[in-house]
Amino acid sequence: MRLTRRSMLGATALTVSMTALAACSKDPGTGGGGSGGSDGGGGEQIAADANDINAKERDELGEGGVLRLANNAFPANWNPFHSDGNEANTSDMLRAIFPLEIWTSDAAGEVMPNPLYAKRLELSSEDPQVMEIELNEGLTWSDGAPIDYKSIENVFKTMDGSKEDYGIASSEGYNKVEKIEQGDSDLVAVITFKEKYADWIGLAAVMPDSLAESADAFNTGWLEEPKVTAGPFKIGKIDAGNKTVLLEPDENWGGDKALLEQVLFTTIEDPAATATSFQNGQLDVIETTVPATYSVVEPMIGQGATLRKAAGPNWTHITLNGAEGRPLADQAVRQAMFRAIDREEVFLSVNATMPYPKDTETLNNHLLMTNQEGYKDNSGDLGTYDPDAAKKLLEDAGYTLEGDEGAQKATKDGKAIEITYVYNDGSKTNEAVVPVVQEQLAAVGITMKVQKVPPTDLFAKYVIPGEFDLTLFGWVGNPFLSSGDSIWKSKGEQNFGKVGDEETDKLIDQAAVETDPAKRLEQINAIDAKLWELAGTIPLWQSYDFFVQNDDLANFGAWGFQRPDWTKIGYVKGSAKLEG
């Protein structure tokens, strides 16, 4: 069954990946994006259903060659279903060795069964809603266990939230399932829902028995490496000391064989060092989203390297921690910060020289990108920079601005507002944004301290536990509108800032079960309007995909909504890259 872009297109996450779990993945904030005109802008806005991956058929490609890639953080956990493993760098590697999604999507956001793993994903009944998953025959995990009904059951019974000791990324969607049963063979699962769930197909996934067998296995069993794989590649070597991961073709893989001889991922936390590595011929691809990388590699474009770009479902934002007892628990203070921060200046601090379209709009929606169907600006006054209005919000909430002009502090009951901005060391995006935001908040009496932390620790030790007041990172999107529900619900697993309310929760639940596309988009925009009022997340910009890569590399690059197929990634016939 093919689902149209109209019914399935969604965008709720940005810059670091993994979305098959009806959960959005997070990016530690090295991404750039597009929002407003800039000196570096040019060309027309990129359509939501366009991407650029140098698409080729398998018979146009040669066998062999090494693909050398970089990421900006080494995995804290290799379990993609765990909250610490639900991160884009990890997902990018896992997709080559693990059935991360048994659905797939094209550039237009059309969703269909992933032919590497599934024969069909379909509704056999609409009332009650019943989904059937049929897997391909002969699939096995690398430990010899079959990939069958039990592998599907593992997902649904682990991810429904009933096992409190399991640190799952999100239970959204899975918690709407009434029962899962084996179908007419051990390759078929029949899932009956308690109520209709619009993004049912995004729940389809498989999990090995060894990962699901206990909380210890789930939470810590894959800290050092994935214990079980099933894909065109396998782990050749993981060198945690040097932060490299070498993948090799899996000779036991039953589908189309991998074309590449090796894939090498190297963690390089400093974007400037990543650019230098590409410039020196040590990498074949660089995702270049900030001037620190783009300025170095831009002269290489047209000289054996190509710039590939797409306007995908990814976006950069600032999350505010509104948890009880934190300085930003007061909604009025959060709203004042929304008015105090000039998002256009923040964007330009990162992207002034980047090649984004000059007509790209400021992102004024938490759930839909500017080039997506149904997009509306719901920001109202809170989306408009106005430091005087910010001061008025603070004063109305009982705060007093004390001190000399230019050095005032907002105080209440003798206590000044002091907050901490936490970010991953080496992030050029954050390094550009921090002084801008710090100065703008100081202008309305809010003191912002800065704490840099190791990239691997950002989410595991700070964002997820709530040890921050402000943090900038990205959400990586997918074709499912409900995939970000756990970000926005008051008790959602991905609501790291703990900002939400019952009214918004109800709206989210209503949208999740609405199957009429037009009505659903209306509800999505109603949710977004509430999110602006709650003032928990400041949208900054839609983060475009920009990849500079070897001219001869095919079926790889600026994906947009498309999922990669690692059996088709390789170099064109006749390429010097095939010679070793």
Short mmCIF file of all heavy atoms in Angstrom, two decimals, residues 54-105:
data_model
loop_
_atom_site.label_atom_id
_atom_site.label_comp_id
_atom_site.label_asym_id
_atom_site.label_seq_id
_atom_site.Cartn_x
_atom_site.Cartn_y
_atom_site.Cartn_z
N ASN A 54 21.96 12.22 -6.66
CA ASN A 54 22.59 11.62 -7.85
C ASN A 54 22.04 10.21 -8.08
O ASN A 54 22.78 9.21 -8.09
CB ASN A 54 24.11 11.58 -7.70
CG ASN A 54 24.82 11.22 -9.01
OD1 ASN A 54 24.29 11.44 -10.09
ND2 ASN A 54 26.03 10.69 -8.91
N ALA A 55 20.72 10.13 -8.25
CA ALA A 55 20.04 8.85 -8.35
C ALA A 55 20.49 8.06 -9.58
O ALA A 55 20.50 8.58 -10.70
CB ALA A 55 18.53 9.07 -8.39
N LYS A 56 20.87 6.80 -9.37
CA LYS A 56 21.30 5.91 -10.44
C LYS A 56 20.75 4.51 -10.18
O LYS A 56 20.49 4.12 -9.05
CB LYS A 56 22.84 5.81 -10.49
CG LYS A 56 23.57 7.14 -10.68
CD LYS A 56 23.43 7.67 -12.09
CE LYS A 56 24.25 8.94 -12.26
NZ LYS A 56 24.08 9.54 -13.61
N GLU A 57 20.57 3.73 -11.27
CA GLU A 57 20.21 2.32 -11.14
C GLU A 57 21.45 1.52 -10.77
O GLU A 57 22.58 1.91 -11.05
CB GLU A 57 19.61 1.81 -12.44
CG GLU A 57 18.31 2.51 -12.86
CD GLU A 57 17.18 2.30 -11.87
OE1 GLU A 57 17.13 1.21 -11.24
OE2 GLU A 57 16.36 3.22 -11.71
N ARG A 58 21.23 0.35 -10.16
CA ARG A 58 22.37 -0.49 -9.74
C ARG A 58 23.28 -0.85 -10.91
O ARG A 58 24.50 -0.91 -10.76
CB ARG A 58 21.86 -1.78 -9.08
CG ARG A 58 21.66 -1.68 -7.58
CD ARG A 58 21.19 -3.00 -7.01
NE ARG A 58 22.18 -4.06 -7.15
CZ ARG A 58 23.04 -4.43 -6.21
NH1 ARG A 58 23.06 -3.81 -5.06
NH2 ARG A 58 23.89 -5.43 -6.41
N ASP A 59 22.68 -1.09 -12.10
CA ASP A 59 23.51 -1.51 -13.22
C ASP A 59 24.37 -0.38 -13.79
O ASP A 59 25.20 -0.60 -14.67
CB ASP A 59 22.65 -2.15 -14.32
CG ASP A 59 21.60 -1.20 -14.89
OD1 ASP A 59 21.64 0.01 -14.60
OD2 ASP A 59 20.72 -1.68 -15.63
N GLU A 60 24.18 0.84 -13.28
CA GLU A 60 25.02 1.97 -13.69
C GLU A 60 26.23 2.13 -12.77
O GLU A 60 27.08 2.99 -13.01
CB GLU A 60 24.22 3.27 -13.69
CG GLU A 60 23.05 3.30 -14.67
CD GLU A 60 22.28 4.60 -14.59
OE1 GLU A 60 22.71 5.58 -15.21
OE2 GLU A 60 21.25 4.64 -13.88
N LEU A 61 26.28 1.32 -11.72
CA LEU A 61 27.32 1.47 -10.70
C LEU A 61 28.28 0.29 -10.74
O LEU A 61 27.93 -0.82 -11.15
CB LEU A 61 26.68 1.57 -9.32
CG LEU A 61 25.57 2.61 -9.16
CD1 LEU A 61 25.04 2.61 -7.74
CD2 LEU A 61 26.07 4.00 -9.53
N GLY A 62 29.50 0.55 -10.28
CA GLY A 62 30.50 -0.50 -10.20
C GLY A 62 30.57 -1.10 -8.81
O GLY A 62 30.03 -0.55 -7.85
N GLU A 63 31.25 -2.22 -8.69
CA GLU A 63 31.44 -2.85 -7.39
C GLU A 63 32.80 -2.48 -6.83
O GLU A 63 33.80 -2.46 -7.55
CB GLU A 63 31.33 -4.38 -7.52
CG GLU A 63 29.95 -4.86 -7.92
CD GLU A 63 29.85 -6.37 -7.92
OE1 GLU A 63 30.74 -7.03 -7.35
OE2 GLU A 63 28.89 -6.90 -8.50
N GLY A 64 32.82 -2.18 -5.53
CA GLY A 64 34.08 -1.83 -4.88
C GLY A 64 34.10 -0.39 -4.43
O GLY A 64 33.12 0.34 -4.51
N GLY A 65 35.25 0.02 -3.96
CA GLY A 65 35.43 1.38 -3.47
C GLY A 65 35.11 1.50 -2.00
O GLY A 65 34.39 0.68 -1.42
N VAL A 66 35.66 2.54 -1.40
CA VAL A 66 35.44 2.82 0.02
C VAL A 66 34.72 4.15 0.13
O VAL A 66 35.07 5.12 -0.55
CB VAL A 66 36.79 2.89 0.78
CG1 VAL A 66 36.56 3.26 2.24
CG2 VAL A 66 37.52 1.56 0.67
N LEU A 67 33.72 4.20 0.98
CA LEU A 67 33.01 5.44 1.27
C LEU A 67 33.40 5.90 2.67
O LEU A 67 33.15 5.20 3.65
CB LEU A 67 31.50 5.23 1.18
CG LEU A 67 30.61 6.45 1.50
CD1 LEU A 67 30.93 7.61 0.58
CD2 LEU A 67 29.14 6.07 1.43
N ARG A 68 34.03 7.07 2.74
CA ARG A 68 34.52 7.59 4.02
C ARG A 68 33.65 8.77 4.45
O ARG A 68 33.57 9.78 3.75
CB ARG A 68 35.98 8.00 3.89
CG ARG A 68 36.90 6.84 3.51
CD ARG A 68 38.23 7.33 3.00
NE ARG A 68 38.09 8.17 1.81
CZ ARG A 68 39.06 8.90 1.28
NH1 ARG A 68 40.26 8.88 1.83
NH2 ARG A 68 38.85 9.63 0.21
N LEU A 69 32.99 8.59 5.60
CA LEU A 69 32.02 9.56 6.10
C LEU A 69 32.42 10.06 7.48
O LEU A 69 33.18 9.39 8.19
CB LEU A 69 30.63 8.91 6.18
CG LEU A 69 30.10 8.29 4.88
CD1 LEU A 69 28.84 7.48 5.16
CD2 LEU A 69 29.81 9.39 3.85
N ALA A 70 31.88 11.20 7.86
CA ALA A 70 32.14 11.76 9.19
C ALA A 70 30.83 12.00 9.92
O ALA A 70 29.79 12.25 9.30
CB ALA A 70 32.91 13.07 9.06
N ASN A 71 30.86 11.88 11.25
CA ASN A 71 29.76 12.34 12.08
C ASN A 71 30.34 13.16 13.22
O ASN A 71 31.55 13.24 13.38
CB ASN A 71 28.91 11.16 12.59
CG ASN A 71 29.74 10.12 13.32
OD1 ASN A 71 30.66 10.46 14.07
ND2 ASN A 71 29.43 8.85 13.11
N ASN A 72 29.46 13.79 14.00
CA ASN A 72 29.97 14.73 15.00
C ASN A 72 29.84 14.25 16.44
O ASN A 72 30.17 14.98 17.37
CB ASN A 72 29.30 16.10 14.86
CG ASN A 72 27.79 16.04 14.94
OD1 ASN A 72 27.24 15.23 15.66
ND2 ASN A 72 27.12 16.89 14.17
N ALA A 73 29.35 13.02 16.64
CA ALA A 73 29.28 12.48 18.01
C ALA A 73 29.27 10.96 17.94
O ALA A 73 28.51 10.37 17.17
CB ALA A 73 28.04 12.98 18.73
N PHE A 74 30.10 10.34 18.75
CA PHE A 74 30.15 8.88 18.80
C PHE A 74 28.95 8.38 19.60
O PHE A 74 28.53 9.01 20.57
CB PHE A 74 31.44 8.43 19.47
CG PHE A 74 31.81 7.00 19.21
CD1 PHE A 74 32.27 6.60 17.96
CD2 PHE A 74 31.70 6.05 20.21
CE1 PHE A 74 32.61 5.28 17.72
CE2 PHE A 74 32.04 4.73 19.99
CZ PHE A 74 32.49 4.34 18.74
N PRO A 75 28.36 7.24 19.21
CA PRO A 75 27.15 6.77 19.89
C PRO A 75 27.33 6.57 21.40
O PRO A 75 28.30 5.97 21.85
CB PRO A 75 26.84 5.43 19.19
CG PRO A 75 27.43 5.58 17.83
CD PRO A 75 28.69 6.39 18.05
N ALA A 76 26.34 7.06 22.15
CA ALA A 76 26.30 6.78 23.59
C ALA A 76 25.63 5.46 23.86
O ALA A 76 25.83 4.85 24.92
CB ALA A 76 25.55 7.90 24.31
N ASN A 77 24.81 5.01 22.90
CA ASN A 77 24.11 3.74 23.02
C ASN A 77 23.73 3.31 21.60
O ASN A 77 23.20 4.11 20.83
CB ASN A 77 22.86 3.89 23.89
CG ASN A 77 22.24 2.56 24.29
OD1 ASN A 77 22.24 1.60 23.53
ND2 ASN A 77 21.70 2.51 25.49
N TRP A 78 24.01 2.06 21.24
CA TRP A 78 23.73 1.58 19.89
C TRP A 78 22.31 1.04 19.74
O TRP A 78 21.92 0.61 18.66
CB TRP A 78 24.73 0.50 19.50
CG TRP A 78 26.09 1.01 19.17
CD1 TRP A 78 27.13 1.21 20.02
CD2 TRP A 78 26.56 1.41 17.87
NE1 TRP A 78 28.23 1.70 19.34
CE2 TRP A 78 27.90 1.83 18.02
CE3 TRP A 78 25.99 1.45 16.61
CZ2 TRP A 78 28.68 2.28 16.95
CZ3 TRP A 78 26.74 1.90 15.53
CH2 TRP A 78 28.07 2.31 15.71
N ASN A 79 21.53 1.07 20.81
CA ASN A 79 20.15 0.60 20.74
C ASN A 79 19.26 1.72 20.21
O ASN A 79 19.01 2.70 20.91
CB ASN A 79 19.67 0.17 22.13
CG ASN A 79 18.21 -0.25 22.14
OD1 ASN A 79 17.55 -0.32 21.10
ND2 ASN A 79 17.70 -0.54 23.32
N PRO A 80 18.73 1.60 18.98
CA PRO A 80 17.97 2.71 18.39
C PRO A 80 16.61 2.92 19.03
O PRO A 80 16.00 3.97 18.84
CB PRO A 80 17.81 2.28 16.93
CG PRO A 80 17.83 0.79 16.98
CD PRO A 80 18.81 0.44 18.07
N PHE A 81 16.13 1.95 19.80
CA PHE A 81 14.85 2.08 20.47
C PHE A 81 14.97 2.80 21.82
O PHE A 81 13.98 3.19 22.41
CB PHE A 81 14.23 0.69 20.70
CG PHE A 81 13.96 -0.07 19.43
CD1 PHE A 81 14.90 -0.94 18.90
CD2 PHE A 81 12.76 0.08 18.75
CE1 PHE A 81 14.66 -1.65 17.73
CE2 PHE A 81 12.50 -0.62 17.58
CZ PHE A 81 13.45 -1.48 17.06
N HIS A 82 16.19 2.94 22.31
CA HIS A 82 16.46 3.58 23.59
C HIS A 82 16.57 5.10 23.41
O HIS A 82 16.98 5.57 22.35
CB HIS A 82 17.75 3.03 24.19
CG HIS A 82 17.98 3.39 25.62
ND1 HIS A 82 18.53 4.60 25.99
CD2 HIS A 82 17.75 2.71 26.77
CE1 HIS A 82 18.62 4.64 27.31
NE2 HIS A 82 18.16 3.51 27.80
N SER A 83 16.22 5.85 24.43
CA SER A 83 16.26 7.31 24.31
C SER A 83 17.66 7.82 23.99
O SER A 83 17.83 8.79 23.25
CB SER A 83 15.75 7.96 25.60
OG SER A 83 16.53 7.55 26.71
N ASP A 84 18.70 7.17 24.52
CA ASP A 84 20.08 7.60 24.23
C ASP A 84 20.54 7.20 22.84
O ASP A 84 21.49 7.79 22.30
CB ASP A 84 21.04 7.01 25.27
CG ASP A 84 20.86 7.60 26.65
OD1 ASP A 84 20.17 8.63 26.76
OD2 ASP A 84 21.38 7.02 27.61
N GLY A 85 19.91 6.18 22.26
CA GLY A 85 20.31 5.72 20.93
C GLY A 85 19.49 6.35 19.82
O GLY A 85 19.81 6.17 18.64
N ASN A 86 18.47 7.10 20.18
CA ASN A 86 17.59 7.75 19.21
C ASN A 86 18.22 9.07 18.76
O ASN A 86 17.77 10.15 19.09
CB ASN A 86 16.22 7.98 19.84
CG ASN A 86 15.26 8.67 18.90
OD1 ASN A 86 15.28 8.44 17.71
ND2 ASN A 86 14.43 9.53 19.45
N GLU A 87 19.30 8.94 18.00
CA GLU A 87 20.14 10.09 17.65
C GLU A 87 20.68 9.87 16.25
O GLU A 87 20.96 8.76 15.84
CB GLU A 87 21.25 10.19 18.70
CG GLU A 87 22.06 11.45 18.67
CD GLU A 87 23.28 11.32 17.78
OE1 GLU A 87 23.64 10.20 17.41
OE2 GLU A 87 23.86 12.37 17.46
N ALA A 88 20.78 10.96 15.48
CA ALA A 88 20.99 10.83 14.05
C ALA A 88 22.31 10.20 13.67
O ALA A 88 22.37 9.42 12.74
CB ALA A 88 20.88 12.20 13.39
N ASN A 89 23.40 10.56 14.35
CA ASN A 89 24.68 9.95 14.02
C ASN A 89 24.60 8.43 14.14
O ASN A 89 25.10 7.69 13.29
CB ASN A 89 25.78 10.46 14.97
CG ASN A 89 26.17 11.89 14.69
OD1 ASN A 89 26.61 12.22 13.61
ND2 ASN A 89 25.97 12.75 15.67
N THR A 90 23.97 7.97 15.21
CA THR A 90 23.81 6.54 15.42
C THR A 90 22.95 5.93 14.33
O THR A 90 23.28 4.88 13.77
CB THR A 90 23.19 6.28 16.80
OG1 THR A 90 23.96 6.95 17.80
CG2 THR A 90 23.15 4.79 17.11
N SER A 91 21.85 6.57 14.03
CA SER A 91 20.92 6.05 13.02
C SER A 91 21.56 5.97 11.64
O SER A 91 21.32 5.02 10.89
CB SER A 91 19.68 6.94 12.94
OG SER A 91 19.04 7.00 14.18
N ASP A 92 22.37 6.97 11.30
CA ASP A 92 23.02 6.96 9.98
C ASP A 92 23.87 5.72 9.79
O ASP A 92 23.94 5.16 8.69
CB ASP A 92 23.89 8.21 9.82
CG ASP A 92 23.07 9.47 9.65
OD1 ASP A 92 21.87 9.36 9.35
OD2 ASP A 92 23.64 10.57 9.80
N MET A 93 24.52 5.28 10.86
CA MET A 93 25.34 4.07 10.77
C MET A 93 24.48 2.81 10.81
O MET A 93 24.70 1.86 10.05
CB MET A 93 26.36 4.06 11.90
CG MET A 93 27.44 5.13 11.74
SD MET A 93 28.72 5.07 13.02
CE MET A 93 27.96 6.04 14.31
N LEU A 94 23.48 2.81 11.67
CA LEU A 94 22.66 1.61 11.83
C LEU A 94 21.89 1.24 10.58
O LEU A 94 21.66 0.06 10.31
CB LEU A 94 21.67 1.81 13.00
CG LEU A 94 22.25 1.67 14.40
CD1 LEU A 94 21.21 2.06 15.44
CD2 LEU A 94 22.73 0.24 14.65
N ARG A 95 21.47 2.22 9.79
CA ARG A 95 20.65 1.90 8.61
C ARG A 95 21.35 0.96 7.65
O ARG A 95 20.70 0.26 6.88
CB ARG A 95 20.24 3.18 7.88
CG ARG A 95 19.13 3.93 8.56
CD ARG A 95 18.48 5.00 7.69
NE ARG A 95 17.40 5.61 8.42
CZ ARG A 95 17.51 6.70 9.17
NH1 ARG A 95 18.68 7.31 9.25
NH2 ARG A 95 16.48 7.18 9.83
N ALA A 96 22.67 0.92 7.67
CA ALA A 96 23.40 0.03 6.77
C ALA A 96 23.48 -1.40 7.31
O ALA A 96 23.74 -2.33 6.54
CB ALA A 96 24.82 0.56 6.54
N ILE A 97 23.25 -1.58 8.62
CA ILE A 97 23.48 -2.89 9.23
C ILE A 97 22.27 -3.43 9.99
O ILE A 97 22.32 -4.55 10.51
CB ILE A 97 24.67 -2.83 10.22
CG1 ILE A 97 24.38 -1.84 11.36
CG2 ILE A 97 25.95 -2.45 9.49
CD1 ILE A 97 25.44 -1.83 12.46
N PHE A 98 21.19 -2.66 10.04
CA PHE A 98 20.07 -3.00 10.92
C PHE A 98 18.77 -2.55 10.26
O PHE A 98 18.73 -1.48 9.64
CB PHE A 98 20.26 -2.27 12.26
CG PHE A 98 19.34 -2.69 13.36
CD1 PHE A 98 19.67 -3.75 14.19
CD2 PHE A 98 18.13 -2.03 13.57
CE1 PHE A 98 18.83 -4.14 15.22
CE2 PHE A 98 17.29 -2.41 14.59
CZ PHE A 98 17.63 -3.47 15.42
N PRO A 99 17.68 -3.30 10.41
CA PRO A 99 16.39 -2.87 9.83
C PRO A 99 15.76 -1.75 10.64
O PRO A 99 14.74 -1.93 11.32
CB PRO A 99 15.55 -4.16 9.88
CG PRO A 99 16.15 -4.98 10.97
CD PRO A 99 17.62 -4.66 10.97
N LEU A 100 16.39 -0.59 10.57
CA LEU A 100 15.95 0.54 11.39
C LEU A 100 14.51 0.92 11.06
O LEU A 100 13.74 1.31 11.93
CB LEU A 100 16.88 1.73 11.15
CG LEU A 100 16.86 2.82 12.20
CD1 LEU A 100 17.23 2.28 13.57
CD2 LEU A 100 17.82 3.94 11.81
N GLU A 101 14.15 0.89 9.77
CA GLU A 101 12.78 1.08 9.34
C GLU A 101 12.40 -0.06 8.40
O GLU A 101 13.15 -0.33 7.45
CB GLU A 101 12.58 2.41 8.62
CG GLU A 101 12.86 3.63 9.47
CD GLU A 101 14.16 4.33 9.15
OE1 GLU A 101 14.93 3.80 8.33
OE2 GLU A 101 14.42 5.39 9.73
N ILE A 102 11.26 -0.72 8.63
CA ILE A 102 10.80 -1.69 7.64
C ILE A 102 9.76 -1.05 6.72
O ILE A 102 9.15 -1.72 5.92
CB ILE A 102 10.28 -3.00 8.28
CG1 ILE A 102 9.07 -2.76 9.16
CG2 ILE A 102 11.40 -3.66 9.08
CD1 ILE A 102 8.42 -4.07 9.62
N TRP A 103 9.60 0.26 6.88
CA TRP A 103 8.94 1.08 5.86
C TRP A 103 10.02 1.92 5.21
O TRP A 103 11.14 2.03 5.72
CB TRP A 103 7.86 1.99 6.48
CG TRP A 103 8.35 2.86 7.60
CD1 TRP A 103 8.32 2.59 8.93
CD2 TRP A 103 8.99 4.15 7.48
NE1 TRP A 103 8.90 3.61 9.66
CE2 TRP A 103 9.31 4.58 8.80
CE3 TRP A 103 9.31 4.99 6.40
CZ2 TRP A 103 9.93 5.81 9.06
CZ3 TRP A 103 9.94 6.20 6.66
CH2 TRP A 103 10.24 6.60 7.97
N THR A 104 9.72 2.51 4.09
CA THR A 104 10.64 3.45 3.48
C THR A 104 9.82 4.58 2.87
O THR A 104 8.59 4.49 2.78
CB THR A 104 11.53 2.78 2.42
OG1 THR A 104 12.57 3.67 2.03
CG2 THR A 104 10.72 2.37 1.19
N SER A 105 10.48 5.65 2.48
CA SER A 105 9.77 6.78 1.88
C SER A 105 10.62 7.39 0.79
O SER A 105 11.85 7.28 0.80
CB SER A 105 9.45 7.84 2.95
OG SER A 105 10.63 8.28 3.60
#
